[in-house]
mmCIF file of all heavy atoms in Angstrom:
data_model
loop_
_atom_site.group_PDB
_atom_site.id
_atom_site.type_symbol
_atom_site.label_atom_id
_atom_site.label_comp_id
_atom_site.label_asym_id
_atom_site.label_seq_id
_atom_site.Cartn_x
_atom_site.Cartn_y
_atom_site.Cartn_z
ATOM 1 N N GLU B 25 -28.925 258.414 17.765
ATOM 2 C CA GLU B 25 -30.112 259.184 17.530
ATOM 3 C C GLU B 25 -30.305 259.408 15.982
ATOM 4 O O GLU B 25 -31.450 259.362 15.458
ATOM 5 C CB GLU B 25 -29.991 260.549 18.154
ATOM 6 C CG GLU B 25 -30.124 260.407 19.703
ATOM 7 C CD GLU B 25 -29.678 261.697 20.337
ATOM 8 O OE1 GLU B 25 -29.748 262.755 19.735
ATOM 9 O OE2 GLU B 25 -29.268 261.640 21.509
ATOM 10 N N GLY B 26 -29.239 259.637 15.321
ATOM 11 C CA GLY B 26 -29.358 260.018 13.881
ATOM 12 C C GLY B 26 -28.529 259.276 12.866
ATOM 13 O O GLY B 26 -28.505 259.714 11.717
ATOM 14 N N GLY B 27 -27.889 258.218 13.263
ATOM 15 C CA GLY B 27 -27.148 257.407 12.428
ATOM 16 C C GLY B 27 -25.794 258.032 12.184
ATOM 17 O O GLY B 27 -25.436 259.120 12.692
ATOM 18 N N PRO B 28 -24.937 257.471 11.241
ATOM 19 C CA PRO B 28 -23.581 257.889 11.060
ATOM 20 C C PRO B 28 -23.511 259.309 10.455
ATOM 21 O O PRO B 28 -22.611 260.099 10.837
ATOM 22 C CB PRO B 28 -23.047 256.897 10.005
ATOM 23 C CG PRO B 28 -23.937 255.735 10.085
ATOM 24 C CD PRO B 28 -25.345 256.297 10.485
ATOM 25 N N GLU B 29 -24.510 259.693 9.650
ATOM 26 C CA GLU B 29 -24.424 261.047 9.057
ATOM 27 C C GLU B 29 -24.594 262.145 10.080
ATOM 28 O O GLU B 29 -24.236 263.250 9.838
ATOM 29 C CB GLU B 29 -25.536 261.200 7.928
ATOM 30 C CG GLU B 29 -25.545 260.055 6.974
ATOM 31 C CD GLU B 29 -26.479 258.974 7.417
ATOM 32 O OE1 GLU B 29 -27.414 259.230 8.221
ATOM 33 O OE2 GLU B 29 -26.268 257.799 6.956
ATOM 34 N N ALA B 30 -25.237 261.854 11.193
ATOM 35 C CA ALA B 30 -25.424 262.781 12.261
ATOM 36 C C ALA B 30 -24.258 263.025 13.103
ATOM 37 O O ALA B 30 -24.204 264.015 13.830
ATOM 38 C CB ALA B 30 -26.617 262.382 13.154
ATOM 39 N N VAL B 31 -23.277 262.196 13.010
ATOM 40 C CA VAL B 31 -22.013 262.365 13.778
ATOM 41 C C VAL B 31 -21.099 263.300 13.026
ATOM 42 O O VAL B 31 -20.274 262.892 12.147
ATOM 43 C CB VAL B 31 -21.356 260.995 14.025
ATOM 44 C CG1 VAL B 31 -20.202 261.140 14.947
ATOM 45 C CG2 VAL B 31 -22.268 260.055 14.721
ATOM 46 N N THR B 32 -21.168 264.561 13.376
ATOM 47 C CA THR B 32 -20.165 265.572 12.786
ATOM 48 C C THR B 32 -19.336 266.037 13.978
ATOM 49 O O THR B 32 -19.807 266.216 15.093
ATOM 50 C CB THR B 32 -20.924 266.699 12.232
ATOM 51 O OG1 THR B 32 -21.507 267.539 13.210
ATOM 52 C CG2 THR B 32 -21.972 266.264 11.254
ATOM 53 N N LEU B 33 -18.062 266.230 13.702
ATOM 54 C CA LEU B 33 -17.234 266.707 14.734
ATOM 55 C C LEU B 33 -17.563 267.945 15.375
ATOM 56 O O LEU B 33 -17.385 268.189 16.577
ATOM 57 C CB LEU B 33 -15.754 266.772 14.226
ATOM 58 C CG LEU B 33 -15.091 265.506 13.838
ATOM 59 C CD1 LEU B 33 -13.606 265.652 13.347
ATOM 60 C CD2 LEU B 33 -15.088 264.537 15.061
ATOM 61 N N ARG B 34 -18.217 268.774 14.578
ATOM 62 C CA ARG B 34 -18.741 270.134 15.160
ATOM 63 C C ARG B 34 -19.801 269.847 16.219
ATOM 64 O O ARG B 34 -19.764 270.425 17.291
ATOM 65 C CB ARG B 34 -19.236 270.940 14.011
ATOM 66 C CG ARG B 34 -18.171 271.566 13.193
ATOM 67 C CD ARG B 34 -18.745 272.116 11.875
ATOM 68 N NE ARG B 34 -17.858 273.238 11.396
ATOM 69 C CZ ARG B 34 -16.870 273.105 10.591
ATOM 70 N NH1 ARG B 34 -16.492 271.913 10.262
ATOM 71 N NH2 ARG B 34 -16.236 274.130 10.129
ATOM 72 N N GLU B 35 -20.733 268.987 15.853
ATOM 73 C CA GLU B 35 -21.846 268.677 16.836
ATOM 74 C C GLU B 35 -21.339 267.885 18.017
ATOM 75 O O GLU B 35 -21.774 268.090 19.126
ATOM 76 C CB GLU B 35 -22.966 267.953 16.087
ATOM 77 C CG GLU B 35 -24.209 267.747 16.924
ATOM 78 C CD GLU B 35 -24.873 269.067 17.336
ATOM 79 O OE1 GLU B 35 -24.687 270.048 16.563
ATOM 80 O OE2 GLU B 35 -25.495 269.111 18.392
ATOM 81 N N VAL B 36 -20.405 267.009 17.799
ATOM 82 C CA VAL B 36 -19.798 266.249 18.843
ATOM 83 C C VAL B 36 -19.112 267.211 19.889
ATOM 84 O O VAL B 36 -19.270 267.100 21.054
ATOM 85 C CB VAL B 36 -18.724 265.224 18.342
ATOM 86 C CG1 VAL B 36 -17.899 264.692 19.474
ATOM 87 C CG2 VAL B 36 -19.461 264.119 17.626
ATOM 88 N N GLY B 37 -18.367 268.159 19.251
ATOM 89 C CA GLY B 37 -17.754 269.150 20.154
ATOM 90 C C GLY B 37 -18.806 269.957 20.893
ATOM 91 O O GLY B 37 -18.613 270.209 22.119
ATOM 92 N N ALA B 38 -19.816 270.411 20.221
ATOM 93 C CA ALA B 38 -20.833 271.279 20.905
ATOM 94 C C ALA B 38 -21.479 270.501 22.067
ATOM 95 O O ALA B 38 -21.665 271.072 23.122
ATOM 96 C CB ALA B 38 -21.853 271.641 19.810
ATOM 97 N N ARG B 39 -21.840 269.233 21.803
ATOM 98 C CA ARG B 39 -22.444 268.418 22.932
ATOM 99 C C ARG B 39 -21.506 268.178 24.084
ATOM 100 O O ARG B 39 -21.970 268.085 25.150
ATOM 101 C CB ARG B 39 -22.895 267.135 22.306
ATOM 102 C CG ARG B 39 -24.107 267.160 21.475
ATOM 103 C CD ARG B 39 -24.919 265.856 21.765
ATOM 104 N NE ARG B 39 -26.063 265.896 20.822
ATOM 105 C CZ ARG B 39 -27.088 264.988 20.886
ATOM 106 N NH1 ARG B 39 -26.938 263.925 21.728
ATOM 107 N NH2 ARG B 39 -28.124 264.994 20.015
ATOM 108 N N ALA B 40 -20.265 268.074 23.719
ATOM 109 C CA ALA B 40 -19.234 267.862 24.801
ATOM 110 C C ALA B 40 -18.876 269.177 25.487
ATOM 111 O O ALA B 40 -18.044 269.201 26.398
ATOM 112 C CB ALA B 40 -18.090 267.109 24.250
ATOM 113 N N GLY B 41 -19.391 270.249 24.976
ATOM 114 C CA GLY B 41 -19.124 271.563 25.650
ATOM 115 C C GLY B 41 -17.783 272.112 25.169
ATOM 116 O O GLY B 41 -17.273 273.094 25.861
ATOM 117 N N VAL B 42 -17.187 271.659 24.050
ATOM 118 C CA VAL B 42 -15.966 272.186 23.555
ATOM 119 C C VAL B 42 -16.131 272.681 22.112
ATOM 120 O O VAL B 42 -17.191 272.633 21.599
ATOM 121 C CB VAL B 42 -14.847 271.154 23.666
ATOM 122 C CG1 VAL B 42 -14.502 270.884 25.150
ATOM 123 C CG2 VAL B 42 -15.182 269.870 22.941
ATOM 124 N N SER B 43 -15.088 273.166 21.605
ATOM 125 C CA SER B 43 -15.162 273.693 20.242
ATOM 126 C C SER B 43 -14.949 272.620 19.182
ATOM 127 O O SER B 43 -14.735 271.506 19.481
ATOM 128 C CB SER B 43 -14.155 274.795 19.992
ATOM 129 O OG SER B 43 -12.891 274.266 19.816
ATOM 130 N N ARG B 44 -15.078 272.979 17.897
ATOM 131 C CA ARG B 44 -15.086 272.106 16.833
ATOM 132 C C ARG B 44 -13.706 271.436 16.656
ATOM 133 O O ARG B 44 -13.518 270.358 16.084
ATOM 134 C CB ARG B 44 -15.508 272.675 15.538
ATOM 135 C CG ARG B 44 -14.577 273.733 15.025
ATOM 136 C CD ARG B 44 -15.085 274.361 13.755
ATOM 137 N NE ARG B 44 -13.987 275.127 13.147
ATOM 138 C CZ ARG B 44 -13.866 276.461 13.393
ATOM 139 N NH1 ARG B 44 -14.738 277.154 14.077
ATOM 140 N NH2 ARG B 44 -12.799 277.088 12.892
ATOM 141 N N GLY B 45 -12.672 272.155 17.117
ATOM 142 C CA GLY B 45 -11.278 271.649 16.909
ATOM 143 C C GLY B 45 -10.770 270.784 18.072
ATOM 144 O O GLY B 45 -9.783 270.063 17.977
ATOM 145 N N ALA B 46 -11.493 270.857 19.104
ATOM 146 C CA ALA B 46 -11.021 270.109 20.383
ATOM 147 C C ALA B 46 -10.863 268.589 20.183
ATOM 148 O O ALA B 46 -9.943 268.082 20.646
ATOM 149 C CB ALA B 46 -11.958 270.342 21.474
ATOM 150 N N PRO B 47 -11.745 267.934 19.332
ATOM 151 C CA PRO B 47 -11.583 266.513 19.257
ATOM 152 C C PRO B 47 -10.201 266.089 18.719
ATOM 153 O O PRO B 47 -9.717 265.002 19.021
ATOM 154 C CB PRO B 47 -12.671 266.167 18.210
ATOM 155 C CG PRO B 47 -13.778 267.121 18.505
ATOM 156 C CD PRO B 47 -13.045 268.379 18.843
ATOM 157 N N TYR B 48 -9.562 266.997 18.047
ATOM 158 C CA TYR B 48 -8.256 266.624 17.393
ATOM 159 C C TYR B 48 -7.133 266.566 18.499
ATOM 160 O O TYR B 48 -6.028 266.164 18.218
ATOM 161 C CB TYR B 48 -7.864 267.655 16.304
ATOM 162 C CG TYR B 48 -8.745 267.491 15.085
ATOM 163 C CD1 TYR B 48 -9.918 268.168 14.871
ATOM 164 C CD2 TYR B 48 -8.354 266.520 14.110
ATOM 165 C CE1 TYR B 48 -10.650 267.920 13.742
ATOM 166 C CE2 TYR B 48 -9.086 266.336 13.014
ATOM 167 C CZ TYR B 48 -10.296 267.065 12.755
ATOM 168 O OH TYR B 48 -10.986 266.844 11.654
ATOM 169 N N ARG B 49 -7.481 267.047 19.680
ATOM 170 C CA ARG B 49 -6.547 266.878 20.805
ATOM 171 C C ARG B 49 -6.641 265.483 21.349
ATOM 172 O O ARG B 49 -5.732 265.087 22.163
ATOM 173 C CB ARG B 49 -6.812 267.879 21.890
ATOM 174 C CG ARG B 49 -6.506 269.294 21.525
ATOM 175 C CD ARG B 49 -4.960 269.477 21.616
ATOM 176 N NE ARG B 49 -4.425 270.140 20.424
ATOM 177 C CZ ARG B 49 -3.202 270.117 20.055
ATOM 178 N NH1 ARG B 49 -2.272 269.479 20.764
ATOM 179 N NH2 ARG B 49 -2.793 270.827 18.970
ATOM 180 N N HIS B 50 -7.685 264.749 21.037
ATOM 181 C CA HIS B 50 -7.939 263.386 21.662
ATOM 182 C C HIS B 50 -7.920 262.290 20.613
ATOM 183 O O HIS B 50 -7.728 261.084 20.934
ATOM 184 C CB HIS B 50 -9.153 263.427 22.535
ATOM 185 C CG HIS B 50 -9.196 264.489 23.573
ATOM 186 N ND1 HIS B 50 -8.652 264.218 24.843
ATOM 187 C CD2 HIS B 50 -9.549 265.739 23.558
ATOM 188 C CE1 HIS B 50 -8.849 265.297 25.584
ATOM 189 N NE2 HIS B 50 -9.337 266.246 24.823
ATOM 190 N N PHE B 51 -8.265 262.652 19.351
ATOM 191 C CA PHE B 51 -8.381 261.638 18.379
ATOM 192 C C PHE B 51 -7.727 262.211 17.042
ATOM 193 O O PHE B 51 -7.709 263.363 16.804
ATOM 194 C CB PHE B 51 -9.803 261.302 18.033
ATOM 195 C CG PHE B 51 -10.530 260.863 19.268
ATOM 196 C CD1 PHE B 51 -11.350 261.780 19.992
ATOM 197 C CD2 PHE B 51 -10.495 259.543 19.715
ATOM 198 C CE1 PHE B 51 -12.022 261.381 21.132
ATOM 199 C CE2 PHE B 51 -11.197 259.139 20.885
ATOM 200 C CZ PHE B 51 -11.941 260.048 21.581
ATOM 201 N N ALA B 52 -7.086 261.298 16.344
ATOM 202 C CA ALA B 52 -6.353 261.763 15.174
ATOM 203 C C ALA B 52 -7.249 262.320 14.185
ATOM 204 O O ALA B 52 -6.942 263.366 13.562
ATOM 205 C CB ALA B 52 -5.582 260.484 14.616
ATOM 206 N N ASP B 53 -8.425 261.732 13.961
ATOM 207 C CA ASP B 53 -9.424 262.260 13.025
ATOM 208 C C ASP B 53 -10.772 261.616 13.307
ATOM 209 O O ASP B 53 -10.880 260.849 14.340
ATOM 210 C CB ASP B 53 -9.005 262.009 11.559
ATOM 211 C CG ASP B 53 -8.714 260.525 11.307
ATOM 212 O OD1 ASP B 53 -9.100 259.718 12.181
ATOM 213 O OD2 ASP B 53 -8.089 260.240 10.263
ATOM 214 N N LYS B 54 -11.720 261.902 12.484
ATOM 215 C CA LYS B 54 -13.075 261.422 12.756
ATOM 216 C C LYS B 54 -13.114 259.893 12.792
ATOM 217 O O LYS B 54 -13.719 259.270 13.650
ATOM 218 C CB LYS B 54 -13.986 261.940 11.710
ATOM 219 C CG LYS B 54 -15.446 261.501 11.924
ATOM 220 C CD LYS B 54 -16.343 262.031 10.808
ATOM 221 C CE LYS B 54 -17.800 261.648 11.023
ATOM 222 N NZ LYS B 54 -18.716 262.241 9.962
ATOM 223 N N ASP B 55 -12.393 259.261 11.883
ATOM 224 C CA ASP B 55 -12.381 257.862 11.827
ATOM 225 C C ASP B 55 -11.856 257.253 13.128
ATOM 226 O O ASP B 55 -12.355 256.215 13.569
ATOM 227 C CB ASP B 55 -11.579 257.370 10.663
ATOM 228 C CG ASP B 55 -12.070 256.048 10.118
ATOM 229 O OD1 ASP B 55 -13.124 256.025 9.496
ATOM 230 O OD2 ASP B 55 -11.375 255.081 10.419
ATOM 231 N N ASP B 56 -10.872 257.841 13.638
ATOM 232 C CA ASP B 56 -10.222 257.347 14.908
ATOM 233 C C ASP B 56 -11.200 257.488 16.028
ATOM 234 O O ASP B 56 -11.259 256.510 16.905
ATOM 235 C CB ASP B 56 -8.985 258.215 15.240
ATOM 236 C CG ASP B 56 -8.204 257.659 16.388
ATOM 237 O OD1 ASP B 56 -8.011 256.444 16.408
ATOM 238 O OD2 ASP B 56 -7.660 258.453 17.237
ATOM 239 N N LEU B 57 -12.055 258.465 16.057
ATOM 240 C CA LEU B 57 -13.038 258.621 17.111
ATOM 241 C C LEU B 57 -14.049 257.505 16.969
ATOM 242 O O LEU B 57 -14.433 256.870 17.933
ATOM 243 C CB LEU B 57 -13.734 259.985 16.973
ATOM 244 C CG LEU B 57 -15.025 260.212 17.713
ATOM 245 C CD1 LEU B 57 -14.781 260.064 19.281
ATOM 246 C CD2 LEU B 57 -15.592 261.588 17.397
#
Side-chain angles (χ1 to χ4, degrees):
Chain B
E25 293 166 24
E29 311 89 25
V31 183
T32 72
L33 288 183
R34 284 165 154 86
E35 187 61 27
V36 168
R39 283 217 185 183
V42 292
S43 75
R44 66 180 193 266
Y48 288 93
R49 286 287 132 197
H50 302 271
F51 305 96
D53 53 15
K54 183 180 180 177
D55 210 75
D56 189 41
L57 168 61

